[in-house]
Amino acid sequence: MTDSTPRTGGTDKLAIPTRRFRPLKTHLFIVAFMVVLCIIAIGFSPWLAVTLIAPALYTVWIFRVRTTVGPRGITAVYLFAKRRSVPWSEFKGLFFNKGGRAFAVTTKDERVALPAISFNSLPELKEATDGLIPDPVTPAREAENNKVEVFDRDGYSVLKDKEDD
């Protein structure tokens, strides 16, 4: 879980712009593939036309769900469930489960699922929140750029600085 401290200065609003995070539009390729499979299934039996509901729901999900980060806090919009918001004054940090799903953790230790947010979204989240949500990914990647991977005879590897012999 990343930890952050709201810098509100006594007010409920921060001076950060509103930014929306949505699922990638490349998910539409999956929808197109699903439609092709459904059309093939309908060719075998017209009763299978109901299978077209799945790609339709998936398309609606792609365009409906989002996570909005703004001066008031984080808001998550879901397909069927009610939207949930976490104001910055109640925001404790982020949590990623083993499956890679992101959750906003409140000061009451409640978890709010954040659609369209992954661990790879952290650099964009840091930029969108003006550093309120820290980014541990970029410094680690930059530190790795100055290293080289060395293998021994047994196949074990270690990262060493490029300047080291």
Side-chain angles (χ1 to χ4, degrees), residues 18-150:
T18 300
R19 172 102 189 263
R20 288 188 175 94
F21 292 86
R22 295 180 178 269
L24 298 174
K25 299 303 181 224
T26 53
H27 287 270
L28 293 174
F29 289 120
I30 297 170
V31 170
F33 181 70
M34 289 172 66
V35 167
V36 168
L37 290 178
C38 290
I39 290 173
I40 291 171
I42 292 169
F44 288 106
S45 173
W47 292 102
L48 293 176
V50 294
T51 58
L52 288 171
I53 293 172
L57 279 175
Y58 192 36
T59 303
V60 172
W61 178 85
I62 292 169
F63 290 107
R64 168 89 172 122
V65 301
R66 65 184 172 277
T67 298
T68 304
V69 177
R72 293 186 177 163
I74 300 175
T75 302
V77 179
Y78 310 104
L79 182 59
F80 295 117
K82 185 174 107 174
R83 79 176 55 211
R84 296 196 52 198
S85 295
V86 178
W88 291 120
S89 60
E90 296 178 16
F91 178 76
K92 184 177 176 183
L94 290 179
F95 173 77
F96 293 89
N97 67 5
K98 289 183 181 180
R101 291 195 59 196
F103 297 88
V105 181
T106 67
T107 54
K108 299 174 186 172
D109 286 331
E110 295 176 9
R111 293 182 183 170
V112 177
L114 301 175
I117 298 292
S118 68
F119 194 75
N120 293 330
S121 304
L122 286 176
E124 296 172 45
L125 275 172
K126 179 183 178 184
E127 182 182 321
T129 61
D130 196 26
L132 188 60
I133 297 176
D135 170 27
V137 177
T138 303
R141 285 183 183 160
E142 290 173 358
E144 190 179 65
N145 287 341
N146 296 328
K147 301 203 181 259
V148 64
E149 190 171 11
V150 179

